[in-house]
Amino acid sequence: MKKVAEVVIKHDILVIADDIYTSLSFQNPFVPIASLPGMKERTICINSFSKNFLMTGWRVGNIVAPAKFINVIRRINETMVYAAPNISQRAAIHALRHRDEFVPPFVEEYKQRMYYASERVNKIPWMSVLYPPKGSFYLFINIKKSGLTSVEAMLKILEEAHVLTLPGSEFGTSGEGFIRLCCTVGIEELGKAFDRIEKMEI
């Protein structure tokens, strides 16, 4: 991030940081790029309660940025959205007040799921993940040994193992040869999914 910050400051670039997984960092505490010297005044941090507080669908988020950007964003927001629903705001306040109670346990649960899934992936000859998961609840799985495109692999896994993944090509040309797996179910269900994938013939 320091190298990125150097380039950003040198060329006077504005950074929009998608910081919605800040709690889900398994190995090291999350460090926002806005905290680096010279970056606060040129960074817009976008955050959401959907991942850090398991509030998907409640439509609550926040933006941290210099006042000149917030003023423009607020004008646009007020004409299009006005405000988050009152009940969502109350839930967000409760989440903030009690985050130390419930955030660590669910982060640990996701960590165990991700480690389990990565171990299972690496036991399948045509799949691999290079590094242990560092955060989030997504695995970007290398399927190049299968000889299939990411779309072909996704469809084959769906049709034969009944497991839904996302083709890496959805993330751009560099994502080809990969699939994304979301580990939002428990280890027992993940185990059943991998048992079915292991039986596939590639």
mmCIF file of all heavy atoms in Angstrom, residues 107-134:
data_model
loop_
_atom_site.group_PDB
_atom_site.id
_atom_site.type_symbol
_atom_site.label_atom_id
_atom_site.label_comp_id
_atom_site.label_asym_id
_atom_site.label_seq_id
_atom_site.Cartn_x
_atom_site.Cartn_y
_atom_site.Cartn_z
ATOM 1 N N VAL A 107 -16.239 -13.937 12.881
ATOM 2 C CA VAL A 107 -15.009 -13.880 12.082
ATOM 3 C C VAL A 107 -14.238 -15.191 12.239
ATOM 4 O O VAL A 107 -13.730 -15.757 11.260
ATOM 5 C CB VAL A 107 -14.131 -12.677 12.491
ATOM 6 C CG1 VAL A 107 -12.763 -12.749 11.822
ATOM 7 C CG2 VAL A 107 -14.820 -11.365 12.126
ATOM 8 N N GLU A 108 -14.178 -15.710 13.455
ATOM 9 C CA GLU A 108 -13.506 -16.994 13.697
ATOM 10 C C GLU A 108 -14.205 -18.120 12.948
ATOM 11 O O GLU A 108 -13.558 -19.014 12.392
ATOM 12 C CB GLU A 108 -13.470 -17.297 15.195
ATOM 13 C CG GLU A 108 -12.766 -18.586 15.561
ATOM 14 C CD GLU A 108 -11.299 -18.627 15.148
ATOM 15 O OE1 GLU A 108 -10.657 -17.558 15.055
ATOM 16 O OE2 GLU A 108 -10.794 -19.747 14.903
ATOM 17 N N GLU A 109 -15.539 -18.076 12.916
ATOM 18 C CA GLU A 109 -16.298 -19.095 12.178
ATOM 19 C C GLU A 109 -15.973 -19.047 10.693
ATOM 20 O O GLU A 109 -15.718 -20.084 10.062
ATOM 21 C CB GLU A 109 -17.799 -18.878 12.389
ATOM 22 C CG GLU A 109 -18.704 -19.755 11.529
ATOM 23 C CD GLU A 109 -18.603 -21.234 11.809
ATOM 24 O OE1 GLU A 109 -18.197 -21.608 12.928
ATOM 25 O OE2 GLU A 109 -18.937 -22.039 10.908
ATOM 26 N N TYR A 110 -15.926 -17.859 10.106
ATOM 27 C CA TYR A 110 -15.580 -17.739 8.687
ATOM 28 C C TYR A 110 -14.144 -18.186 8.436
ATOM 29 O O TYR A 110 -13.845 -18.814 7.417
ATOM 30 C CB TYR A 110 -15.784 -16.306 8.195
ATOM 31 C CG TYR A 110 -17.203 -16.016 7.787
ATOM 32 C CD1 TYR A 110 -17.939 -15.002 8.392
ATOM 33 C CD2 TYR A 110 -17.830 -16.763 6.795
ATOM 34 C CE1 TYR A 110 -19.249 -14.746 8.021
ATOM 35 C CE2 TYR A 110 -19.136 -16.509 6.419
ATOM 36 C CZ TYR A 110 -19.841 -15.498 7.045
ATOM 37 O OH TYR A 110 -21.133 -15.251 6.674
ATOM 38 N N LYS A 111 -13.258 -17.871 9.348
ATOM 39 C CA LYS A 111 -11.863 -18.289 9.211
ATOM 40 C C LYS A 111 -11.777 -19.815 9.147
ATOM 41 O O LYS A 111 -11.086 -20.363 8.273
ATOM 42 C CB LYS A 111 -11.050 -17.760 10.395
ATOM 43 C CG LYS A 111 -9.589 -18.171 10.373
ATOM 44 C CD LYS A 111 -8.857 -17.606 11.594
ATOM 45 C CE LYS A 111 -7.416 -18.064 11.635
ATOM 46 N NZ LYS A 111 -6.699 -17.521 12.811
ATOM 47 N N GLN A 112 -12.487 -20.502 10.046
ATOM 48 C CA GLN A 112 -12.461 -21.966 10.045
ATOM 49 C C GLN A 112 -13.042 -22.525 8.758
ATOM 50 O O GLN A 112 -12.522 -23.491 8.193
ATOM 51 C CB GLN A 112 -13.239 -22.508 11.251
ATOM 52 C CG GLN A 112 -12.624 -22.143 12.599
ATOM 53 C CD GLN A 112 -11.159 -22.527 12.710
ATOM 54 O OE1 GLN A 112 -10.748 -23.593 12.274
ATOM 55 N NE2 GLN A 112 -10.360 -21.631 13.283
ATOM 56 N N ARG A 113 -14.116 -21.928 8.254
ATOM 57 C CA ARG A 113 -14.709 -22.367 6.989
ATOM 58 C C ARG A 113 -13.732 -22.201 5.836
ATOM 59 O O ARG A 113 -13.581 -23.090 4.999
ATOM 60 C CB ARG A 113 -15.980 -21.562 6.689
ATOM 61 C CG ARG A 113 -17.131 -21.816 7.605
ATOM 62 C CD ARG A 113 -18.298 -20.915 7.235
ATOM 63 N NE ARG A 113 -19.372 -20.988 8.208
ATOM 64 C CZ ARG A 113 -20.483 -20.284 8.108
ATOM 65 N NH1 ARG A 113 -20.663 -19.440 7.104
ATOM 66 N NH2 ARG A 113 -21.428 -20.406 9.034
ATOM 67 N N MET A 114 -13.074 -21.046 5.797
ATOM 68 C CA MET A 114 -12.157 -20.758 4.697
ATOM 69 C C MET A 114 -10.945 -21.682 4.727
ATOM 70 O O MET A 114 -10.506 -22.177 3.692
ATOM 71 C CB MET A 114 -11.722 -19.294 4.769
ATOM 72 C CG MET A 114 -12.835 -18.312 4.459
ATOM 73 S SD MET A 114 -13.257 -18.323 2.709
ATOM 74 C CE MET A 114 -11.869 -17.398 2.061
ATOM 75 N N TYR A 115 -10.391 -21.912 5.908
ATOM 76 C CA TYR A 115 -9.248 -22.820 6.015
ATOM 77 C C TYR A 115 -9.653 -24.239 5.622
ATOM 78 O O TYR A 115 -8.906 -24.937 4.936
ATOM 79 C CB TYR A 115 -8.674 -22.791 7.433
ATOM 80 C CG TYR A 115 -7.788 -21.597 7.726
ATOM 81 C CD1 TYR A 115 -7.921 -20.405 7.022
ATOM 82 C CD2 TYR A 115 -6.829 -21.653 8.720
ATOM 83 C CE1 TYR A 115 -7.120 -19.316 7.297
ATOM 84 C CE2 TYR A 115 -6.013 -20.559 9.007
ATOM 85 C CZ TYR A 115 -6.169 -19.395 8.282
ATOM 86 O OH TYR A 115 -5.370 -18.312 8.544
ATOM 87 N N TYR A 116 -10.813 -24.655 6.082
ATOM 88 C CA TYR A 116 -11.311 -25.985 5.732
ATOM 89 C C TYR A 116 -11.484 -26.109 4.217
ATOM 90 O O TYR A 116 -11.036 -27.079 3.598
ATOM 91 C CB TYR A 116 -12.649 -26.256 6.433
ATOM 92 C CG TYR A 116 -13.327 -27.523 5.960
ATOM 93 C CD1 TYR A 116 -12.926 -28.765 6.448
ATOM 94 C CD2 TYR A 116 -14.365 -27.482 5.024
ATOM 95 C CE1 TYR A 116 -13.538 -29.932 6.005
ATOM 96 C CE2 TYR A 116 -14.973 -28.633 4.586
ATOM 97 C CZ TYR A 116 -14.561 -29.857 5.079
ATOM 98 O OH TYR A 116 -15.159 -31.008 4.637
ATOM 99 N N ALA A 117 -12.142 -25.107 3.612
ATOM 100 C CA ALA A 117 -12.401 -25.150 2.166
ATOM 101 C C ALA A 117 -11.100 -25.160 1.371
ATOM 102 O O ALA A 117 -10.969 -25.889 0.391
ATOM 103 C CB ALA A 117 -13.273 -23.970 1.755
ATOM 104 N N SER A 118 -10.117 -24.364 1.792
ATOM 105 C CA SER A 118 -8.855 -24.327 1.045
ATOM 106 C C SER A 118 -8.117 -25.669 1.139
ATOM 107 O O SER A 118 -7.502 -26.118 0.171
ATOM 108 C CB SER A 118 -7.955 -23.183 1.535
ATOM 109 O OG SER A 118 -7.555 -23.382 2.866
ATOM 110 N N GLU A 119 -8.214 -26.322 2.292
ATOM 111 C CA GLU A 119 -7.596 -27.648 2.435
ATOM 112 C C GLU A 119 -8.278 -28.673 1.532
ATOM 113 O O GLU A 119 -7.610 -29.491 0.887
ATOM 114 C CB GLU A 119 -7.675 -28.103 3.897
ATOM 115 C CG GLU A 119 -6.742 -27.354 4.824
ATOM 116 C CD GLU A 119 -6.961 -27.687 6.286
ATOM 117 O OE1 GLU A 119 -7.779 -28.609 6.569
ATOM 118 O OE2 GLU A 119 -6.335 -27.033 7.148
ATOM 119 N N ARG A 120 -9.603 -28.612 1.470
ATOM 120 C CA ARG A 120 -10.340 -29.544 0.610
ATOM 121 C C ARG A 120 -10.038 -29.290 -0.869
ATOM 122 O O ARG A 120 -9.892 -30.215 -1.658
ATOM 123 C CB ARG A 120 -11.850 -29.434 0.873
ATOM 124 C CG ARG A 120 -12.326 -29.968 2.201
ATOM 125 C CD ARG A 120 -12.143 -31.472 2.365
ATOM 126 N NE ARG A 120 -12.803 -32.276 1.364
ATOM 127 C CZ ARG A 120 -14.014 -32.826 1.497
ATOM 128 N NH1 ARG A 120 -14.718 -32.621 2.615
ATOM 129 N NH2 ARG A 120 -14.531 -33.579 0.544
ATOM 130 N N VAL A 121 -9.956 -28.007 -1.239
ATOM 131 C CA VAL A 121 -9.642 -27.660 -2.633
ATOM 132 C C VAL A 121 -8.300 -28.259 -3.036
ATOM 133 O O VAL A 121 -8.168 -28.859 -4.106
ATOM 134 C CB VAL A 121 -9.608 -26.119 -2.817
ATOM 135 C CG1 VAL A 121 -8.908 -25.739 -4.114
ATOM 136 C CG2 VAL A 121 -11.018 -25.545 -2.802
ATOM 137 N N ASN A 122 -7.297 -28.112 -2.182
ATOM 138 C CA ASN A 122 -5.944 -28.567 -2.522
ATOM 139 C C ASN A 122 -5.793 -30.090 -2.551
ATOM 140 O O ASN A 122 -4.763 -30.602 -2.983
ATOM 141 C CB ASN A 122 -4.922 -27.942 -1.579
ATOM 142 C CG ASN A 122 -4.659 -26.482 -1.915
ATOM 143 O OD1 ASN A 122 -4.743 -26.076 -3.076
ATOM 144 N ND2 ASN A 122 -4.361 -25.678 -0.913
ATOM 145 N N LYS A 123 -6.827 -30.808 -2.130
ATOM 146 C CA LYS A 123 -6.819 -32.273 -2.223
ATOM 147 C C LYS A 123 -7.430 -32.760 -3.542
ATOM 148 O O LYS A 123 -7.379 -33.944 -3.853
ATOM 149 C CB LYS A 123 -7.584 -32.886 -1.052
ATOM 150 C CG LYS A 123 -6.855 -32.738 0.277
ATOM 151 C CD LYS A 123 -7.666 -33.320 1.424
ATOM 152 C CE LYS A 123 -6.929 -33.152 2.740
ATOM 153 N NZ LYS A 123 -7.746 -33.637 3.886
ATOM 154 N N ILE A 124 -8.015 -31.836 -4.292
ATOM 155 C CA ILE A 124 -8.622 -32.171 -5.586
ATOM 156 C C ILE A 124 -7.578 -31.904 -6.667
ATOM 157 O O ILE A 124 -7.091 -30.780 -6.787
ATOM 158 C CB ILE A 124 -9.917 -31.352 -5.817
ATOM 159 C CG1 ILE A 124 -10.941 -31.690 -4.718
ATOM 160 C CG2 ILE A 124 -10.494 -31.621 -7.197
ATOM 161 C CD1 ILE A 124 -12.174 -30.811 -4.714
ATOM 162 N N PRO A 125 -7.199 -32.913 -7.454
ATOM 163 C CA PRO A 125 -6.069 -32.797 -8.398
ATOM 164 C C PRO A 125 -6.150 -31.626 -9.381
ATOM 165 O O PRO A 125 -5.129 -31.067 -9.752
ATOM 166 C CB PRO A 125 -6.089 -34.138 -9.137
ATOM 167 C CG PRO A 125 -6.765 -35.080 -8.205
ATOM 168 C CD PRO A 125 -7.783 -34.268 -7.466
ATOM 169 N N TRP A 126 -7.337 -31.253 -9.804
ATOM 170 C CA TRP A 126 -7.467 -30.219 -10.829
ATOM 171 C C TRP A 126 -7.829 -28.846 -10.251
ATOM 172 O O TRP A 126 -8.136 -27.916 -10.985
ATOM 173 C CB TRP A 126 -8.486 -30.621 -11.884
ATOM 174 C CG TRP A 126 -9.823 -31.048 -11.335
ATOM 175 C CD1 TRP A 126 -10.160 -32.286 -10.845
ATOM 176 C CD2 TRP A 126 -11.006 -30.237 -11.224
ATOM 177 N NE1 TRP A 126 -11.474 -32.285 -10.428
ATOM 178 C CE2 TRP A 126 -12.015 -31.050 -10.664
ATOM 179 C CE3 TRP A 126 -11.300 -28.921 -11.556
ATOM 180 C CZ2 TRP A 126 -13.301 -30.580 -10.411
ATOM 181 C CZ3 TRP A 126 -12.573 -28.448 -11.317
ATOM 182 C CH2 TRP A 126 -13.557 -29.280 -10.752
ATOM 183 N N MET A 127 -7.750 -28.726 -8.915
ATOM 184 C CA MET A 127 -8.038 -27.458 -8.247
ATOM 185 C C MET A 127 -6.888 -27.086 -7.329
ATOM 186 O O MET A 127 -6.188 -27.953 -6.823
ATOM 187 C CB MET A 127 -9.300 -27.565 -7.374
ATOM 188 C CG MET A 127 -10.608 -27.577 -8.090
ATOM 189 S SD MET A 127 -11.946 -27.584 -6.848
ATOM 190 C CE MET A 127 -13.327 -27.168 -7.894
ATOM 191 N N SER A 128 -6.726 -25.791 -7.081
ATOM 192 C CA SER A 128 -5.735 -25.373 -6.095
ATOM 193 C C SER A 128 -5.970 -23.931 -5.670
ATOM 194 O O SER A 128 -6.535 -23.133 -6.413
ATOM 195 C CB SER A 128 -4.308 -25.503 -6.654
ATOM 196 O OG SER A 128 -4.119 -24.602 -7.739
ATOM 197 N N VAL A 129 -5.541 -23.652 -4.446
ATOM 198 C CA VAL A 129 -5.406 -22.274 -3.974
ATOM 199 C C VAL A 129 -3.975 -22.151 -3.487
ATOM 200 O O VAL A 129 -3.483 -23.000 -2.750
ATOM 201 C CB VAL A 129 -6.411 -21.904 -2.861
ATOM 202 C CG1 VAL A 129 -7.799 -21.723 -3.423
ATOM 203 C CG2 VAL A 129 -6.427 -22.923 -1.742
ATOM 204 N N LEU A 130 -3.297 -21.111 -3.913
ATOM 205 C CA LEU A 130 -1.863 -20.991 -3.686
ATOM 206 C C LEU A 130 -1.515 -20.642 -2.241
ATOM 207 O O LEU A 130 -0.578 -21.180 -1.673
ATOM 208 C CB LEU A 130 -1.274 -19.952 -4.642
ATOM 209 C CG LEU A 130 0.244 -19.896 -4.759
ATOM 210 C CD1 LEU A 130 0.820 -21.253 -5.129
ATOM 211 C CD2 LEU A 130 0.652 -18.855 -5.794
ATOM 212 N N TYR A 131 -2.301 -19.740 -1.638
ATOM 213 C CA TYR A 131 -1.976 -19.263 -0.298
ATOM 214 C C TYR A 131 -3.137 -19.536 0.663
ATOM 215 O O TYR A 131 -4.293 -19.564 0.248
ATOM 216 C CB TYR A 131 -1.695 -17.761 -0.312
ATOM 217 C CG TYR A 131 -0.564 -17.369 -1.220
ATOM 218 C CD1 TYR A 131 -0.812 -16.739 -2.437
ATOM 219 C CD2 TYR A 131 0.754 -17.634 -0.864
ATOM 220 C CE1 TYR A 131 0.227 -16.383 -3.284
ATOM 221 C CE2 TYR A 131 1.799 -17.281 -1.704
ATOM 222 C CZ TYR A 131 1.530 -16.655 -2.908
ATOM 223 O OH TYR A 131 2.564 -16.306 -3.739
ATOM 224 N N PRO A 132 -2.848 -19.688 1.957
ATOM 225 C CA PRO A 132 -3.940 -19.795 2.938
ATOM 226 C C PRO A 132 -4.785 -18.525 2.898
ATOM 227 O O PRO A 132 -4.253 -17.435 2.673
ATOM 228 C CB PRO A 132 -3.203 -19.914 4.276
ATOM 229 C CG PRO A 132 -1.826 -20.365 3.935
ATOM 230 C CD PRO A 132 -1.523 -19.790 2.576
ATOM 231 N N PRO A 133 -6.081 -18.646 3.101
ATOM 232 C CA PRO A 133 -6.953 -17.457 3.055
ATOM 233 C C PRO A 133 -6.544 -16.418 4.097
ATOM 234 O O PRO A 133 -6.227 -16.763 5.228
ATOM 235 C CB PRO A 133 -8.335 -18.029 3.365
ATOM 236 C CG PRO A 133 -8.243 -19.493 3.083
ATOM 237 C CD PRO A 133 -6.832 -19.875 3.370
ATOM 238 N N LYS A 134 -6.564 -15.168 3.688
ATOM 239 C CA LYS A 134 -6.196 -14.079 4.598
ATOM 240 C C LYS A 134 -7.411 -13.310 5.106
ATOM 241 O O LYS A 134 -7.308 -12.519 6.043
ATOM 242 C CB LYS A 134 -5.238 -13.116 3.905
ATOM 243 C CG LYS A 134 -3.880 -13.727 3.594
ATOM 244 C CD LYS A 134 -2.954 -12.705 2.971
ATOM 245 C CE LYS A 134 -1.583 -13.292 2.693
ATOM 246 N NZ LYS A 134 -0.665 -12.309 2.084
#
